[in-house]
Amino acid sequence: MENVYLAALAEVVPGLGRSHILETVRQLGGAEATFKATGEQLAALGVYNEKKIENFLLNRKNIDPLQLAEVCRQKSIKIVSYFDDEYPKSLKEIHDPPLALYVLGNLPQDAYSIGIVGSRLATAYGIKTARYYAKAMVAGDIPVISGGAVGIDSAAHAAVVEEDGVTIAVLGCGVDIVYPATNAQLFKGILKRGAIVSEYPPGTQPQARFFPARNRIIVGLSRGVIVCEAAVKSGALITAHCAADEQREVYAVPGNIFEPTSIGCHTLIQQGAHLIADAREIFLDREAFYQKLNRGGTVQNLSKNKEKIPPPKEINNPDLSSMSSDGKKIYHLLGQGALSMDDLIEQSGLDFTQISIELLDLQVMGLVDTDQSQKYFRK
């Protein structure tokens, strides 16, 4: 029950403040003893003032650890506390680790994972890069961490699920809340081999203030974070800056200079983030990470699959020999990014009927698709 009481403390500690709570648990002999501590016991520690202790005792009345445990049992939710062996070691290294995680599924025990984040209002290019890097991580047996949101997050999770890889979605709400609702099927796929986690108890509805805090958990579970696409004001940038603060690698994918969703990545690169253009760069960094851990034998085994990972140029240059000259022209134009039918008519000099026929052929060949705004893009 210690894990339950530590989870309960997480709901109460805003009264005391988080900086001393783990040491308090150690001094008082455990989470249950701390949760049930008297005001006199807390005051005797010499780290909490009278107002904090008063707030703690008041907030505690609203939390029932036994009821919390029963709700989690009914919903098959595991509580993994800071002191449990299953608690990820990398998460303990950040300056403000959650006292407990609520977990659906199974947390991977890999020492090396990669976060993939980006804009909710992702472009076709952003989705494509997220899927490329996510699938590359699966080929290299690297778990992918993201936030379960629409856009880049969902694209990364979905690509991992398609490849039967391991991915973790970190939510800004309870793990029993499907948010966004459109991701219900995706979350089921994630649970086949991965996990859905949160520091918020079951039933907690999403709130804007939860998501910046959620981002530190994405960082804590990752050894590096790839930002696929981000506007100048983006939650992905918060994640990237958090990663830099926690001494984790930050990788930024360069984008179209005319797209607002590229500004964030370009700013990160100017600030010192790694410009990443090939997923195999991650493998070199992973090898360096394991070498620092003096696990050279493991490095060789982990690197065995990197030949499977094609650089982007191989993905982007299919065999066009059977394609008509008009089809090649359209495919070439789409290399600059997603284009509308009007854009294609203007830039190609072809009429609507010609372009429609060629686009249909390109779609049948699996080379082109449309996004939510009905723009065409290379797959």
Side-chain angles (χ1 to χ4, degrees), residues 2 14 20 39 56 82-84 88 100 119 156 201 208 217 245 261 280 288 313 318 333 338 355 357 360 362 375:
E2 276 292 288
H20 298 290
F56 175 84
Y82 182 89
F83 298 110
D84 290 336
S119 175
I217 300 177
D245 290 342
T261 48
R280 290 176 294 185
K313 63 178 180 292
L333 288 172
I355 292 174
I357 293 172
L360 180 59
L362 289 169
K375 288 186 176 182

Side-chain angles (χ1 to χ4, degrees), residues 75-80 85-88 101-110 113 143-145 157 160 165-170 175 187-198 221:
K75 297 186 175 185
S76 300
I77 299 169
K78 289 183 290 187
I79 298 177
V80 179
D85 291 339
E86 192 179 349
Y87 192 95
L101 294 174
Y102 297 91
V103 180
L104 282 174
N106 297 294
L107 288 172
Q109 296 303 305
D110 305 68
S113 299
V144 170
I145 319 296
H157 288 308
V160 174
V166 176
T167 184
I168 301 174
V170 185
V175 295
F187 285 6
K188 289 180 181 178
I190 290 172
L191 291 175
K192 289 180 180 178
R193 292 197 60 202
I196 297 172
V197 306
S198 176
L221 292 172

Side-chain angles (χ1 to χ4, degrees), residues 281-330:
E281 296 171 36
I282 300 293
F283 282 79
L284 297 176
D285 287 343
R286 180 181 60 174
E287 290 184 0
F289 169 79
Y290 276 105
Q291 286 167 357
K292 288 181 182 178
L293 294 182
N294 296 316
R295 294 175 61 182
T298 306
V299 174
Q300 185 177 358
N301 293 333
L302 288 170
S303 300
K304 69 182 186 301
N305 290 327
K306 69 180 176 183
E307 302 80 28
K308 295 181 182 179
I309 302 174
K313 63 178 180 292
E314 293 180 10
I315 295 176
N316 293 337
N317 287 287
D319 181 8
L320 307 182
S321 59
S322 63
M323 191 181 298
S324 70
S325 59
D326 288 345
K328 291 176 182 177
K329 178 185 288 188
I330 291 172

Side-chain angles (χ1 to χ4, degrees), residues 135-300:
K135 289 190 175 188
M137 295 307 102
V138 177
D141 300 322
I142 298 175
V144 170
I145 319 296
S146 197
V150 298
I152 296 298
D153 290 10
S154 291
H157 288 308
V160 174
V161 170
E162 289 169 16
E163 298 297 313
D164 196 30
V166 176
T167 184
I168 301 174
V170 185
L171 306 187
C173 58
V175 295
D176 57 334
I177 306 296
V178 179
Y179 180 80
T182 52
N183 273 353
Q185 200 61 37
L186 175 60
F187 285 6
K188 289 180 181 178
I190 290 172
L191 291 175
K192 289 180 180 178
R193 292 197 60 202
I196 297 172
V197 306
S198 176
E199 66 178 318
Y200 303 108
T204 303
Q205 296 295 322
Q207 296 183 35
R209 63 188 177 91
F210 291 160
F211 291 94
R214 177 277 307 267
N215 293 342
R216 84 188 194 287
I217 300 177
I218 295 176
V219 169
L221 292 172
S222 308
R223 289 297 172 183
V225 174
I226 302 172
V227 184
C228 291
E229 194 170 48
V232 67
K233 292 184 178 180
S234 168
L237 293 187
I238 296 175
T239 306
H241 291 138
C242 177
D245 290 342
E246 298 292 351
Q247 305 301 307
R248 305 295 161 96
E249 299 289 349
V250 178
Y251 307 94
V253 180
N256 185 333
I257 63 171
F258 300 107
E259 286 285 354
T261 48
S262 297
I263 296 174
C265 285
H266 294 165
T267 300
L268 288 174
I269 292 167
Q270 290 171 332
Q271 293 172 344
H274 298 287
L275 186 160
I276 184 169
D278 187 329
R280 290 176 294 185
E281 296 171 36
I282 300 293
F283 282 79
L284 297 176
D285 287 343
R286 180 181 60 174
E287 290 184 0
F289 169 79
Y290 276 105
Q291 286 167 357
K292 288 181 182 178
L293 294 182
N294 296 316
R295 294 175 61 182
T298 306
V299 174
Q300 185 177 358

Side-chain angles (χ1 to χ4, degrees), residues 326 330 341 344-345 348-357:
D326 288 345
I330 291 172
M341 178 62 78
L344 289 169
I345 291 171
S348 70
L350 302 173
D351 62 33
F352 177 87
T353 301
Q354 290 173 295
I355 292 174
S356 297
I357 293 172

